[in-house]
Structures are given as C-alpha cells and as structure tokens.
Amino acid sequence: MELKGKVVWITGGANGIGAAVARRLAGLGARPVLCDVDVERGEALAAELDTLFVRCDVREPADSVRAVEAAVERFGGLDVAFLNAGVSTGCDLGEGFDPEVYRRAMAINLDGVVYGVHAALPALRARGGGDIVLTGSMGGLAPMPYEPVYAANKAAVVALARSLGPAYEEEGIRVNALCPSFADTDILTRLRDFLGDFPILDVETVVDAFLTLLASGTTGQAWPVVPGREFEPFRFRGVPGPRV
C-alpha cells in the first residue's frame, strides 16, 4: 500500500502501539494525526514528527468528531482511522469488582471505538473509501480469566469489525481488527505477574502487522499477532445454521 501523503488518524497515539505506528507512518511519508488524553507526550511526539496532535478523550463522541475535523482541515482529508486507545482493568466480577473501573474500561475500549467509527465515516466517504483498523486483542479471541472485562470489550471490538466489514465494503471502506497478544507497552503493568515467562511481543512486530493488514485489501477480518506465528486472518469456525 502506498502510504506517502495518506492521512492517518490514531487514537491512543501518544504512547505504545499508537506512537510506534505513528513514527513508522511518518517515516513512510504518511501524515499521522495523533490523539490522546496524554497531552504532554502527544504534543512532544507531534513536534518530533512535524504533525498534528489533538487532545481527544474517546469516551466523548464530540472529541472524536473534532479530531477528524482537525485532520481534514490541516491535511485535506482522511484515509485511515486507527482506533487504538485502550486500557486494562485489573478487576474481576467478584469481590474485586469496581463499577467505575468497569465503566471506564467499556467506555474507552468499546464506546470509544464506536464513536471513532461514527466520526471517521463521513471523511472516509468524502475520500471515496479508506481503512478503519480497530485494535482488538487476542483477549477477544481467547479466554482471559484474570481480565474478564477487558476480554469482553475486546471480543465486542472483534465482532464489530467482522460486522462492519461487509456493511461498508461496497463503499470502499475496509474495517479490520488488529489482535495482538501481550505487547511490551504500559498496558501490561497490571498483568506482568500473571504472564510469567509468556512471550511478549516487540511493539515493532505489531507495527509490521498493522502495515501488512493495510496492504492486504481485506475487510471484516480479525488478525492475530502472536510471537512466532504467521500473520494472517483468524479462521473462525462456521456457526450452526437453522435446521428446517
């Protein structure tokens, strides 16, 4: 995929996977537009990459709309939306349950993705098509007994990508979910005690996967990113249909 001049909106763009993708895209001649609640790091990275930072709390629908409008005003349009902002929870559904932590995680990891898609669609349609990449997780494809809320909202993100892919395919808008296993970012802070010797992904491997996904031209797929495995769409088993 030719990325030179492409405008890419990145939520959660000040740190971790979002920042790494932004750096790689800028090096390939794209125009990353960084959004985050971490203003200090976001502005510093935008200055480093000579691009635009917009403070955006993905829990607020109007923030995503303003971010897209800023991208269009500064760079003339939008080609890719990378809806990547996410948090872990550290709570279970028993004695450790905290309704505020639960609502915050659902608001960022799921609502923020929904609001981001809604905000990006008009700009992508004005461009004649484009890509929406949702950051899911292997936790959306496999059980996470120690992070059930995170697994639940990431499973919803995977389902959203699979449903939106065919919904917008005729408009030239592709929607896919990038599903890394445990990558070396701040989100692992609460999980390291559970992981032991489990292999951790280098963030640059996730960036490679992101670029491969964009170049694939596919839609409605979930793409696992797992150490030592070939990067390809997950093959979901067919669900049983009705019997007549």
Side-chain angles (χ1 to χ4, degrees):
M1 182 179 183
E2 176 55 57
L3 289 168
K4 187 176 179 59
K6 298 291 186 183
V7 183
V8 185
W9 173 38
I10 304 174
T11 66
N15 303 280
I17 292 170
V21 166
R23 285 190 171 96
R24 183 79 68 85
L25 288 171
L28 294 170
R31 289 292 195 179
V33 176
L34 310 177
C35 287
D36 209 298
V37 292
D38 188 339
V39 174
E40 183 176 355
R41 288 189 181 182
E43 289 181 342
L45 182 58
E48 173 192 329
L49 303 180
D50 189 25
T51 191
L52 175 66
F53 171 78
V54 181
R55 186 193 182 282
C56 177
D57 184 340
V58 297
R59 296 173 294 180
E60 301 295 334
D63 278 19
S64 289
V65 172
R66 282 194 293 268
V68 172
E69 289 174 347
V72 172
E73 181 179 354
R74 174 75 174 270
F75 296 120
L78 182 68
D79 300 290
V80 180
F82 182 29
L83 305 179
N84 166 71
V87 294
S88 62
T89 67
C91 75
D92 58 30
L93 302 189
E95 293 181 358
F97 182 67
D98 184 331
E100 292 186 5
V101 171
Y102 165 74
R103 277 306 332 153
R104 178 175 182 267
M106 296 302 289
I108 294 172
N109 293 0
L110 179 56
D111 297 350
V113 169
V114 171
Y115 299 151
V117 172
H118 177 71
L121 280 173
L124 293 173
R125 285 173 172 146
R127 220 44 160 184
D131 285 88
I132 301 174
V133 180
L134 316 180
T135 296
S137 168
M138 284 302 294
L141 299 172
M144 289 186 73
Y146 39 84
E147 265 284 6
V149 172
Y150 182 83
N153 53 55
K154 290 301 185 178
V157 167
V158 169
L160 191 66
R162 297 184 70 205
S163 298
L164 294 181
Y168 300 129
E169 187 171 12
E170 290 187 1
E171 298 181 71
I173 298 173
R174 294 165 294 277
V175 186
N176 291 282
L178 186 70
C179 297
S181 63
F182 301 105
D184 192 13
T185 67
D186 291 345
I187 206 168
L188 287 191
T189 301
R190 291 193 179 107
L191 300 177
R192 291 189 187 276
D193 290 343
F194 294 100
L195 297 180
D197 295 329
F198 193 92
I200 304 300
L201 280 169
D202 182 82
V203 173
E204 292 303 316
T205 300
V206 184
V207 179
D208 291 340
F210 172 84
L211 295 176
T212 301
L213 187 161
L214 281 187
S216 72
T218 61
T219 193
Q221 302 292 329
W223 292 73
V225 191
V226 182
R229 294 281 187 175
E230 184 178 352
F231 183 58
E232 59 185 359
F234 184 74
R235 295 184 178 89
F236 287 90
R237 182 178 179 181
V239 299
R243 288 181 174 174
V244 179

PDB file of all heavy atoms in Angstrom, residues 128-162:
ATOM      1  N   GLY A 128     -13.757   8.752  -0.925  1.00  0.00           N
ATOM      2  CA  GLY A 128     -14.071   7.652  -1.828  1.00  0.00           C
ATOM      3  C   GLY A 128     -13.729   6.292  -1.263  1.00  0.00           C
ATOM      4  O   GLY A 128     -13.734   5.289  -1.974  1.00  0.00           O
ATOM      5  N   GLY A 129     -13.435   6.225   0.041  1.00  0.00           N
ATOM      6  CA  GLY A 129     -13.092   4.954   0.685  1.00  0.00           C
ATOM      7  C   GLY A 129     -11.871   5.114   1.561  1.00  0.00           C
ATOM      8  O   GLY A 129     -11.292   6.192   1.671  1.00  0.00           O
ATOM      9  N   GLY A 130     -11.485   4.022   2.189  1.00  0.00           N
ATOM     10  CA  GLY A 130     -10.332   4.049   3.075  1.00  0.00           C
ATOM     11  C   GLY A 130     -10.363   2.871   4.022  1.00  0.00           C
ATOM     12  O   GLY A 130     -11.065   1.880   3.781  1.00  0.00           O
ATOM     13  N   ASP A 131      -9.594   2.974   5.089  1.00  0.00           N
ATOM     14  CA  ASP A 131      -9.461   1.864   6.034  1.00  0.00           C
ATOM     15  C   ASP A 131      -9.759   2.313   7.453  1.00  0.00           C
ATOM     16  O   ASP A 131      -9.385   3.407   7.863  1.00  0.00           O
ATOM     17  CB  ASP A 131      -8.034   1.302   5.997  1.00  0.00           C
ATOM     18  CG  ASP A 131      -7.784   0.466   4.758  1.00  0.00           C
ATOM     19  OD1 ASP A 131      -7.388   1.047   3.729  1.00  0.00           O
ATOM     20  OD2 ASP A 131      -7.983  -0.758   4.832  1.00  0.00           O
ATOM     21  N   ILE A 132     -10.421   1.428   8.197  1.00  0.00           N
ATOM     22  CA  ILE A 132     -10.595   1.577   9.633  1.00  0.00           C
ATOM     23  C   ILE A 132      -9.986   0.338  10.282  1.00  0.00           C
ATOM     24  O   ILE A 132     -10.376  -0.787   9.969  1.00  0.00           O
ATOM     25  CB  ILE A 132     -12.074   1.698  10.030  1.00  0.00           C
ATOM     26  CG1 ILE A 132     -12.727   2.895   9.339  1.00  0.00           C
ATOM     27  CG2 ILE A 132     -12.216   1.811  11.550  1.00  0.00           C
ATOM     28  CD1 ILE A 132     -14.225   3.006   9.572  1.00  0.00           C
ATOM     29  N   VAL A 133      -9.010   0.564  11.134  1.00  0.00           N
ATOM     30  CA  VAL A 133      -8.358  -0.530  11.850  1.00  0.00           C
ATOM     31  C   VAL A 133      -8.668  -0.362  13.334  1.00  0.00           C
ATOM     32  O   VAL A 133      -8.373   0.681  13.919  1.00  0.00           O
ATOM     33  CB  VAL A 133      -6.837  -0.544  11.616  1.00  0.00           C
ATOM     34  CG1 VAL A 133      -6.193  -1.700  12.387  1.00  0.00           C
ATOM     35  CG2 VAL A 133      -6.525  -0.663  10.128  1.00  0.00           C
ATOM     36  N   LEU A 134      -9.267  -1.377  13.918  1.00  0.00           N
ATOM     37  CA  LEU A 134      -9.616  -1.370  15.334  1.00  0.00           C
ATOM     38  C   LEU A 134      -8.597  -2.205  16.091  1.00  0.00           C
ATOM     39  O   LEU A 134      -8.302  -3.332  15.679  1.00  0.00           O
ATOM     40  CB  LEU A 134     -11.009  -1.971  15.550  1.00  0.00           C
ATOM     41  CG  LEU A 134     -12.115  -1.543  14.581  1.00  0.00           C
ATOM     42  CD1 LEU A 134     -13.421  -2.230  14.950  1.00  0.00           C
ATOM     43  CD2 LEU A 134     -12.284  -0.028  14.570  1.00  0.00           C
ATOM     44  N   THR A 135      -8.073  -1.690  17.181  1.00  0.00           N
ATOM     45  CA  THR A 135      -7.184  -2.505  17.994  1.00  0.00           C
ATOM     46  C   THR A 135      -8.021  -3.397  18.896  1.00  0.00           C
ATOM     47  O   THR A 135      -8.641  -2.944  19.856  1.00  0.00           O
ATOM     48  CB  THR A 135      -6.232  -1.640  18.839  1.00  0.00           C
ATOM     49  OG1 THR A 135      -5.374  -0.897  17.963  1.00  0.00           O
ATOM     50  CG2 THR A 135      -5.361  -2.518  19.730  1.00  0.00           C
ATOM     51  N   GLY A 136      -8.068  -4.676  18.516  1.00  0.00           N
ATOM     52  CA  GLY A 136      -8.681  -5.688  19.349  1.00  0.00           C
ATOM     53  C   GLY A 136      -7.614  -6.283  20.252  1.00  0.00           C
ATOM     54  O   GLY A 136      -6.752  -5.575  20.767  1.00  0.00           O
ATOM     55  N   SER A 137      -7.641  -7.588  20.394  1.00  0.00           N
ATOM     56  CA  SER A 137      -6.671  -8.265  21.244  1.00  0.00           C
ATOM     57  C   SER A 137      -6.872  -9.761  21.079  1.00  0.00           C
ATOM     58  O   SER A 137      -7.968 -10.215  20.732  1.00  0.00           O
ATOM     59  CB  SER A 137      -6.889  -7.874  22.703  1.00  0.00           C
ATOM     60  OG  SER A 137      -6.159  -8.712  23.582  1.00  0.00           O
ATOM     61  N   MET A 138      -5.822 -10.517  21.362  1.00  0.00           N
ATOM     62  CA  MET A 138      -6.024 -11.959  21.468  1.00  0.00           C
ATOM     63  C   MET A 138      -6.992 -12.280  22.601  1.00  0.00           C
ATOM     64  O   MET A 138      -7.623 -13.333  22.612  1.00  0.00           O
ATOM     65  CB  MET A 138      -4.693 -12.668  21.681  1.00  0.00           C
ATOM     66  CG  MET A 138      -3.848 -12.768  20.415  1.00  0.00           C
ATOM     67  SD  MET A 138      -4.685 -13.640  19.068  1.00  0.00           S
ATOM     68  CE  MET A 138      -4.790 -15.300  19.757  1.00  0.00           C
ATOM     69  N   GLY A 139      -7.126 -11.341  23.548  1.00  0.00           N
ATOM     70  CA  GLY A 139      -8.129 -11.498  24.595  1.00  0.00           C
ATOM     71  C   GLY A 139      -9.542 -11.451  24.074  1.00  0.00           C
ATOM     72  O   GLY A 139     -10.476 -11.841  24.773  1.00  0.00           O
ATOM     73  N   GLY A 140      -9.734 -10.970  22.855  1.00  0.00           N
ATOM     74  CA  GLY A 140     -11.041 -11.001  22.220  1.00  0.00           C
ATOM     75  C   GLY A 140     -11.302 -12.288  21.474  1.00  0.00           C
ATOM     76  O   GLY A 140     -12.419 -12.521  20.978  1.00  0.00           O
ATOM     77  N   LEU A 141     -10.284 -13.142  21.391  1.00  0.00           N
ATOM     78  CA  LEU A 141     -10.402 -14.418  20.679  1.00  0.00           C
ATOM     79  C   LEU A 141     -10.214 -15.618  21.598  1.00  0.00           C
ATOM     80  O   LEU A 141     -10.579 -16.735  21.242  1.00  0.00           O
ATOM     81  CB  LEU A 141      -9.362 -14.490  19.551  1.00  0.00           C
ATOM     82  CG  LEU A 141      -9.462 -13.421  18.461  1.00  0.00           C
ATOM     83  CD1 LEU A 141      -8.267 -13.506  17.524  1.00  0.00           C
ATOM     84  CD2 LEU A 141     -10.765 -13.561  17.674  1.00  0.00           C
ATOM     85  N   ALA A 142      -9.612 -15.386  22.762  1.00  0.00           N
ATOM     86  CA  ALA A 142      -9.298 -16.466  23.693  1.00  0.00           C
ATOM     87  C   ALA A 142      -9.632 -16.021  25.105  1.00  0.00           C
ATOM     88  O   ALA A 142      -9.649 -14.815  25.392  1.00  0.00           O
ATOM     89  CB  ALA A 142      -7.816 -16.847  23.584  1.00  0.00           C
ATOM     90  N   PRO A 143      -9.886 -16.944  26.024  1.00  0.00           N
ATOM     91  CA  PRO A 143     -10.248 -16.565  27.394  1.00  0.00           C
ATOM     92  C   PRO A 143      -9.122 -15.824  28.110  1.00  0.00           C
ATOM     93  O   PRO A 143      -7.944 -16.110  27.915  1.00  0.00           O
ATOM     94  CB  PRO A 143     -10.515 -17.922  28.073  1.00  0.00           C
ATOM     95  CG  PRO A 143     -10.772 -18.880  26.975  1.00  0.00           C
ATOM     96  CD  PRO A 143      -9.940 -18.413  25.824  1.00  0.00           C
ATOM     97  N   MET A 144      -9.512 -14.868  28.956  1.00  0.00           N
ATOM     98  CA  MET A 144      -8.590 -14.158  29.849  1.00  0.00           C
ATOM     99  C   MET A 144      -9.205 -14.176  31.252  1.00  0.00           C
ATOM    100  O   MET A 144      -9.825 -13.187  31.670  1.00  0.00           O
ATOM    101  CB  MET A 144      -8.358 -12.718  29.387  1.00  0.00           C
ATOM    102  CG  MET A 144      -7.535 -12.583  28.133  1.00  0.00           C
ATOM    103  SD  MET A 144      -7.173 -10.837  27.750  1.00  0.00           S
ATOM    104  CE  MET A 144      -5.961 -10.446  29.020  1.00  0.00           C
ATOM    105  N   PRO A 145      -9.051 -15.261  31.994  1.00  0.00           N
ATOM    106  CA  PRO A 145      -9.700 -15.360  33.308  1.00  0.00           C
ATOM    107  C   PRO A 145      -9.301 -14.256  34.278  1.00  0.00           C
ATOM    108  O   PRO A 145     -10.082 -13.904  35.170  1.00  0.00           O
ATOM    109  CB  PRO A 145      -9.239 -16.733  33.820  1.00  0.00           C
ATOM    110  CG  PRO A 145      -8.844 -17.494  32.605  1.00  0.00           C
ATOM    111  CD  PRO A 145      -8.312 -16.483  31.640  1.00  0.00           C
ATOM    112  N   TYR A 146      -8.097 -13.697  34.115  1.00  0.00           N
ATOM    113  CA  TYR A 146      -7.602 -12.666  35.013  1.00  0.00           C
ATOM    114  C   TYR A 146      -7.970 -11.266  34.552  1.00  0.00           C
ATOM    115  O   TYR A 146      -7.703 -10.288  35.250  1.00  0.00           O
ATOM    116  CB  TYR A 146      -6.077 -12.778  35.144  1.00  0.00           C
ATOM    117  CG  TYR A 146      -5.402 -13.117  33.840  1.00  0.00           C
ATOM    118  CD1 TYR A 146      -5.089 -12.126  32.919  1.00  0.00           C
ATOM    119  CD2 TYR A 146      -5.124 -14.442  33.509  1.00  0.00           C
ATOM    120  CE1 TYR A 146      -4.519 -12.438  31.710  1.00  0.00           C
ATOM    121  CE2 TYR A 146      -4.539 -14.762  32.297  1.00  0.00           C
ATOM    122  CZ  TYR A 146      -4.242 -13.752  31.403  1.00  0.00           C
ATOM    123  OH  TYR A 146      -3.680 -14.080  30.194  1.00  0.00           O
ATOM    124  N   GLU A 147      -8.590 -11.123  33.357  1.00  0.00           N
ATOM    125  CA  GLU A 147      -9.019  -9.815  32.845  1.00  0.00           C
ATOM    126  C   GLU A 147     -10.337  -9.989  32.083  1.00  0.00           C
ATOM    127  O   GLU A 147     -10.419  -9.717  30.878  1.00  0.00           O
ATOM    128  CB  GLU A 147      -7.952  -9.220  31.920  1.00  0.00           C
ATOM    129  CG  GLU A 147      -6.987  -8.266  32.597  1.00  0.00           C
ATOM    130  CD  GLU A 147      -7.613  -6.901  32.878  1.00  0.00           C
ATOM    131  OE1 GLU A 147      -8.819  -6.719  32.650  1.00  0.00           O
ATOM    132  OE2 GLU A 147      -6.880  -6.011  33.346  1.00  0.00           O
ATOM    133  N   PRO A 148     -11.399 -10.436  32.753  1.00  0.00           N
ATOM    134  CA  PRO A 148     -12.631 -10.766  32.024  1.00  0.00           C
ATOM    135  C   PRO A 148     -13.302  -9.560  31.376  1.00  0.00           C
ATOM    136  O   PRO A 148     -13.893  -9.696  30.299  1.00  0.00           O
ATOM    137  CB  PRO A 148     -13.521 -11.376  33.109  1.00  0.00           C
ATOM    138  CG  PRO A 148     -12.997 -10.838  34.399  1.00  0.00           C
ATOM    139  CD  PRO A 148     -11.519 -10.710  34.197  1.00  0.00           C
ATOM    140  N   VAL A 149     -13.229  -8.396  31.997  1.00  0.00           N
ATOM    141  CA  VAL A 149     -13.868  -7.216  31.418  1.00  0.00           C
ATOM    142  C   VAL A 149     -13.128  -6.788  30.155  1.00  0.00           C
ATOM    143  O   VAL A 149     -13.744  -6.468  29.125  1.00  0.00           O
ATOM    144  CB  VAL A 149     -13.923  -6.073  32.446  1.00  0.00           C
ATOM    145  CG1 VAL A 149     -14.405  -4.777  31.795  1.00  0.00           C
ATOM    146  CG2 VAL A 149     -14.835  -6.459  33.602  1.00  0.00           C
ATOM    147  N   TYR A 150     -11.810  -6.786  30.215  1.00  0.00           N
ATOM    148  CA  TYR A 150     -11.002  -6.467  29.035  1.00  0.00           C
ATOM    149  C   TYR A 150     -11.314  -7.445  27.903  1.00  0.00           C
ATOM    150  O   TYR A 150     -11.514  -7.046  26.747  1.00  0.00           O
ATOM    151  CB  TYR A 150      -9.526  -6.530  29.404  1.00  0.00           C
ATOM    152  CG  TYR A 150      -8.569  -6.167  28.293  1.00  0.00           C
ATOM    153  CD1 TYR A 150      -8.267  -4.841  28.021  1.00  0.00           C
ATOM    154  CD2 TYR A 150      -7.957  -7.156  27.524  1.00  0.00           C
ATOM    155  CE1 TYR A 150      -7.382  -4.497  27.009  1.00  0.00           C
ATOM    156  CE2 TYR A 150      -7.071  -6.825  26.512  1.00  0.00           C
ATOM    157  CZ  TYR A 150      -6.784  -5.502  26.257  1.00  0.00           C
ATOM    158  OH  TYR A 150      -5.905  -5.168  25.248  1.00  0.00           O
ATOM    159  N   ALA A 151     -11.373  -8.740  28.219  1.00  0.00           N
ATOM    160  CA  ALA A 151     -11.691  -9.746  27.206  1.00  0.00           C
ATOM    161  C   ALA A 151     -13.061  -9.497  26.597  1.00  0.00           C
ATOM    162  O   ALA A 151     -13.249  -9.627  25.381  1.00  0.00           O
ATOM    163  CB  ALA A 151     -11.617 -11.152  27.818  1.00  0.00           C
ATOM    164  N   ALA A 152     -14.019  -9.117  27.427  1.00  0.00           N
ATOM    165  CA  ALA A 152     -15.373  -8.884  26.931  1.00  0.00           C
ATOM    166  C   ALA A 152     -15.427  -7.717  25.958  1.00  0.00           C
ATOM    167  O   ALA A 152     -16.050  -7.801  24.888  1.00  0.00           O
ATOM    168  CB  ALA A 152     -16.320  -8.631  28.105  1.00  0.00           C
ATOM    169  N   ASN A 153     -14.768  -6.587  26.315  1.00  0.00           N
ATOM    170  CA  ASN A 153     -14.866  -5.462  25.388  1.00  0.00           C
ATOM    171  C   ASN A 153     -14.034  -5.680  24.134  1.00  0.00           C
ATOM    172  O   ASN A 153     -14.395  -5.215  23.056  1.00  0.00           O
ATOM    173  CB  ASN A 153     -14.584  -4.117  26.071  1.00  0.00           C
ATOM    174  CG  ASN A 153     -13.295  -4.040  26.825  1.00  0.00           C
ATOM    175  OD1 ASN A 153     -12.238  -4.307  26.269  1.00  0.00           O
ATOM    176  ND2 ASN A 153     -13.365  -3.661  28.104  1.00  0.00           N
ATOM    177  N   LYS A 154     -12.940  -6.439  24.235  1.00  0.00           N
ATOM    178  CA  LYS A 154     -12.160  -6.726  23.029  1.00  0.00           C
ATOM    179  C   LYS A 154     -12.875  -7.736  22.130  1.00  0.00           C
ATOM    180  O   LYS A 154     -12.769  -7.674  20.898  1.00  0.00           O
ATOM    181  CB  LYS A 154     -10.766  -7.217  23.411  1.00  0.00           C
ATOM    182  CG  LYS A 154      -9.887  -6.125  24.015  1.00  0.00           C
ATOM    183  CD  LYS A 154      -9.699  -4.949  23.057  1.00  0.00           C
ATOM    184  CE  LYS A 154      -8.727  -3.918  23.604  1.00  0.00           C
ATOM    185  NZ  LYS A 154      -8.510  -2.795  22.661  1.00  0.00           N
ATOM    186  N   ALA A 155     -13.612  -8.675  22.721  1.00  0.00           N
ATOM    187  CA  ALA A 155     -14.430  -9.578  21.903  1.00  0.00           C
ATOM    188  C   ALA A 155     -15.494  -8.782  21.152  1.00  0.00           C
ATOM    189  O   ALA A 155     -15.804  -9.074  19.984  1.00  0.00           O
ATOM    190  CB  ALA A 155     -15.080 -10.643  22.784  1.00  0.00           C
ATOM    191  N   ALA A 156     -16.039  -7.771  21.800  1.00  0.00           N
ATOM    192  CA  ALA A 156     -17.016  -6.914  21.132  1.00  0.00           C
ATOM    193  C   ALA A 156     -16.383  -6.138  19.982  1.00  0.00           C
ATOM    194  O   ALA A 156     -16.995  -5.955  18.925  1.00  0.00           O
ATOM    195  CB  ALA A 156     -17.637  -5.952  22.144  1.00  0.00           C
ATOM    196  N   VAL A 157     -15.142  -5.681  20.157  1.00  0.00           N
ATOM    197  CA  VAL A 157     -14.440  -4.978  19.079  1.00  0.00           C
ATOM    198  C   VAL A 157     -14.229  -5.898  17.875  1.00  0.00           C
ATOM    199  O   VAL A 157     -14.414  -5.492  16.718  1.00  0.00           O
ATOM    200  CB  VAL A 157     -13.099  -4.416  19.596  1.00  0.00           C
ATOM    201  CG1 VAL A 157     -12.214  -3.958  18.443  1.00  0.00           C
ATOM    202  CG2 VAL A 157     -13.337  -3.264  20.557  1.00  0.00           C
ATOM    203  N   VAL A 158     -13.853  -7.150  18.145  1.00  0.00           N
ATOM    204  CA  VAL A 158     -13.693  -8.118  17.052  1.00  0.00           C
ATOM    205  C   VAL A 158     -15.017  -8.314  16.322  1.00  0.00           C
ATOM    206  O   VAL A 158     -15.071  -8.305  15.085  1.00  0.00           O
ATOM    207  CB  VAL A 158     -13.158  -9.459  17.601  1.00  0.00           C
ATOM    208  CG1 VAL A 158     -13.245 -10.551  16.536  1.00  0.00           C
ATOM    209  CG2 VAL A 158     -11.718  -9.300  18.079  1.00  0.00           C
ATOM    210  N   ALA A 159     -16.101  -8.495  17.064  1.00  0.00           N
ATOM    211  CA  ALA A 159     -17.414  -8.677  16.446  1.00  0.00           C
ATOM    212  C   ALA A 159     -17.822  -7.451  15.636  1.00  0.00           C
ATOM    213  O   ALA A 159     -18.433  -7.574  14.563  1.00  0.00           O
ATOM    214  CB  ALA A 159     -18.455  -8.977  17.523  1.00  0.00           C
ATOM    215  N   LEU A 160     -17.473  -6.271  16.145  1.00  0.00           N
ATOM    216  CA  LEU A 160     -17.788  -5.039  15.431  1.00  0.00           C
ATOM    217  C   LEU A 160     -17.063  -4.998  14.085  1.00  0.00           C
ATOM    218  O   LEU A 160     -17.665  -4.668  13.047  1.00  0.00           O
ATOM    219  CB  LEU A 160     -17.392  -3.847  16.297  1.00  0.00           C
ATOM    220  CG  LEU A 160     -17.871  -2.474  15.853  1.00  0.00           C
ATOM    221  CD1 LEU A 160     -19.385  -2.370  15.940  1.00  0.00           C
ATOM    222  CD2 LEU A 160     -17.227  -1.385  16.712  1.00  0.00           C
ATOM    223  N   ALA A 161     -15.780  -5.310  14.081  1.00  0.00           N
ATOM    224  CA  ALA A 161     -15.022  -5.304  12.823  1.00  0.00           C
ATOM    225  C   ALA A 161     -15.588  -6.313  11.833  1.00  0.00           C
ATOM    226  O   ALA A 161     -15.702  -6.031  10.628  1.00  0.00           O
ATOM    227  CB  ALA A 161     -13.553  -5.616  13.103  1.00  0.00           C
ATOM    228  N   ARG A 162     -15.945  -7.491  12.311  1.00  0.00           N
ATOM    229  CA  ARG A 162     -16.474  -8.529  11.418  1.00  0.00           C
ATOM    230  C   ARG A 162     -17.814  -8.121  10.821  1.00  0.00           C
ATOM    231  O   ARG A 162     -18.138  -8.491   9.687  1.00  0.00           O
ATOM    232  CB  ARG A 162     -16.612  -9.843  12.170  1.00  0.00           C
ATOM    233  CG  ARG A 162     -15.284 -10.411  12.665  1.00  0.00           C
ATOM    234  CD  ARG A 162     -15.490 -11.758  13.327  1.00  0.00           C
ATOM    235  NE  ARG A 162     -15.835 -12.773  12.342  1.00  0.00           N
ATOM    236  CZ  ARG A 162     -16.517 -13.889  12.622  1.00  0.00           C
ATOM    237  NH1 ARG A 162     -16.956 -14.110  13.853  1.00  0.00           N
ATOM    238  NH2 ARG A 162     -16.771 -14.757  11.675  1.00  0.00           N
TER     239      ARG A 162
END
